[in-house]
Structures are given as C-alpha cells and as structure tokens.
Amino acid sequence: MSEPSTITDPADPRLADYTGLTDVELRRRREPAEGLFIAEGEKVVRRALAAGYRMRSMLLTSKWLDVMADVIAEADAPVHVVEPALAEAVTGYHVHRGALASMERQPLPDAAELLAGARRVAVLEGLVDHTNLGAIFRSAAALGMDAVLLSPDCADPLYRRAVKVSMGAVFAVPYARLDPWPTALDTVRAAGFSLLALTPADTAVDLAGLAPHRLPKAALMLGAEGDGLTPRALAAADHAVRIPMAHGVDSLNVGAAAAVAFYAVTTTA
C-alpha cells in the first residue's frame, strides 16, 4: 500500500508529470518521449490498471480518497493529495473528476502481429483531432473491431483527451502504426484483408450493398474530418464505399461514420 502524501507547493517536483496538461504541443512532445500518459477520472484509471498499465503516481483531491481507497491499497506508486486550486494551478484546468494518474506506456505491437489474429480492423489516416480519435476507439471497442491501425501522422490515442472521450476504450482495442504510409497498406492486404475506403464520393459503392459482413477479412479506411482520405490512400483501396445520405446531408462526422461502418462490417444479420 502507498501512503497518500499531501502536497501544498505547485512547484513540487513530484507533480512534474501533471504540469501543463492543457498544452497540447508540450504534452505531445513530452509524453511519448518520457514513456507516460495521463489517465483522468476514476473509471479510466481503473480501466488502465485492469489493462495492465503500470502506475507511476496518482494525483487526488481529498474527497476522492475514499472512492479510490482500493486502488490506493494496491498501488505500488506514490499517491499525491492536493487541494482543487493547486490541482488547477498545476494542470492548467479545473480537475472536476478529482482523480488523475500518470501511467507507463507499453511498447506498441507490430502491425503484422495484430493482423495475424484479426478479422475486422480500422485503418485511420491523418486523424489529428483527439475527440474524434477517442470516439472512434470507443465505437471500435463497443462494436467488436479487432484492432486499429494508424498512419504515422495520426494523433496519439493515449493523449488525455482521447483517453477520456473513449472512456478507456483505447486500452481495450489493440493498435499499431502503419509506416511507411501508404506503402504499409500492403501489409494489410497481404494478411488477407479487403481494403474498404470510406468516402462520400458519388462514385463509391453503397457500403451495405457490398455486404462487408460477409467478407472473410475487412479493413475499413477512414480519413480526417473534412479532408477525408488522401488520393494515395484511396488509390490503395480495393473498394471505395459510402454511407448513403438523406435530406441533402453530404456526410457524417468521422466518428459517427466510423460507428455506422463498424456495425456494417461486424453485424451477422
């Protein structure tokens, strides 16, 4: 058991992992380089631990001590207790969920390893919005996708915002980077997957009409909000597919589109 210790100085070096959490550029540089990520909120902290991530430290306000008592009892890392105002001074925002944990990252698997045991995967290109990325991981977990593959320029799934939006689903769905891009898509095809590029283009075929749930292996390709998949990615796909729209709507948010497409490739109906 780790005995909680109270900290009153925002400059205390023990709080270094939690400084400037709202500075996206700073955290994007720091966290992967230092091998850490931040889990925010009771459920997310518990899910990170359940997924096998090791805790570096935990930061709590006093009212969360009882709620997290069992986690504290099993922790082999320091537990820091601070006042809400101090937590805000350190992190840069009001920590209304009251519980933060600094966790150690794990090495990413090789893409070929993930594909070996998978039938349904998502392939994401250029998604830099952490909210969309988190939403896609949550849908991938809920709808039974086996893995997520990311182009080199995709955002970090373990960035605090992405983890929070996914409600910890980033810990449930394995992911890897595909590099070089888009050449590495050949690895997906070589593993027996049909590459389905999601696009609102009129020339694309109706996703449901393709009966993707009957494909032995399917890889759904999704691009960034607005721009969509690049021409090179589209050219690498086996099929360009679309979700039919009504009432003059041209497309869905990428997170919503992903959920619809995931259902289409995983349903047994």
Side-chain angles (χ1 to χ4, degrees):
M1 176 178 179
S2 181
E3 188 66 31
S5 60
T6 300
I7 295 179
T8 58
D9 181 2
D12 192 305
R14 290 175 292 178
L15 302 180
D17 283 0
Y18 305 95
T19 56
L21 294 187
T22 58
D23 188 330
V24 179
E25 287 303 316
L26 171 65
R27 302 306 300 195
R28 190 162 59 183
R29 293 193 305 270
R30 261 196 73 188
E31 293 185 8
E34 296 180 21
L36 68 94
F37 69 92
I38 299 298
E40 178 183 6
E42 177 200 356
K43 289 182 180 178
V44 172
V45 171
R46 291 182 185 277
R47 287 171 182 170
L49 291 169
Y53 288 93
R54 185 179 179 277
M55 185 186 293
R56 291 163 58 108
S57 68
M58 189 156 52
L59 180 68
L60 302 170
T61 54
S62 58
K63 73 174 185 178
W64 286 86
L65 285 171
D66 288 341
V67 176
M68 303 298 288
D70 59 320
V71 175
I72 295 170
E74 297 179 9
D76 61 355
V79 177
H80 310 308
V81 182
V82 299
E83 290 297 319
L86 190 142
E88 184 171 352
V90 171
T91 63
Y93 70 104
H94 176 58
V95 187
H96 66 280
R97 291 177 180 262
L100 296 170
S102 174
M103 312 295 294
E104 289 187 0
R105 289 176 181 252
Q106 298 173 352
L108 284 185
D110 180 73
E113 292 177 31
L114 292 189
L115 292 168
R119 293 185 61 250
R120 298 288 184 262
V121 301
V123 181
L124 310 182
E125 181 190 31
L127 261 80
V128 296
D129 184 279
H130 294 101
T131 299
N132 284 333
L133 189 64
I136 289 172
F137 265 88
R138 187 172 184 180
S139 294
L143 296 169
M145 300 296 285
D146 297 315
V148 175
L149 301 175
L150 308 167
S151 68
D153 56 346
C154 276
D156 177 14
L158 293 183
Y159 179 70
R160 178 180 59 88
R161 179 65 180 166
V163 174
K164 180 179 177 181
V165 171
S166 80
M167 289 299 293
V170 293
F171 311 135
V173 183
Y175 66 93
R177 296 277 177 180
L178 277 177
D179 194 12
W181 182 267
T183 309
L185 287 169
D186 291 340
T187 303
V188 185
R189 184 177 287 106
F193 285 82
S194 297
L195 292 165
L196 312 181
L198 210 63
T199 170
D202 292 336
T203 53
V205 300
D206 186 328
L207 176 59
L210 188 66
H213 60 289
R214 294 178 182 163
L215 294 172
K217 294 184 177 182
L220 272 169
M221 299 167 58
L222 297 116
E225 188 80 20
D227 294 335
L229 292 165
T230 62
R232 291 199 304 160
L234 287 167
D238 297 309
H239 302 280
V241 295
R242 67 191 300 269
I243 299 169
M245 299 285 109
H247 300 293
V249 177
D250 60 353
S251 64
L252 296 173
N253 164 274
V254 66
V260 172
F262 294 166
Y263 181 78
V265 299
T266 57
T267 182
T268 56

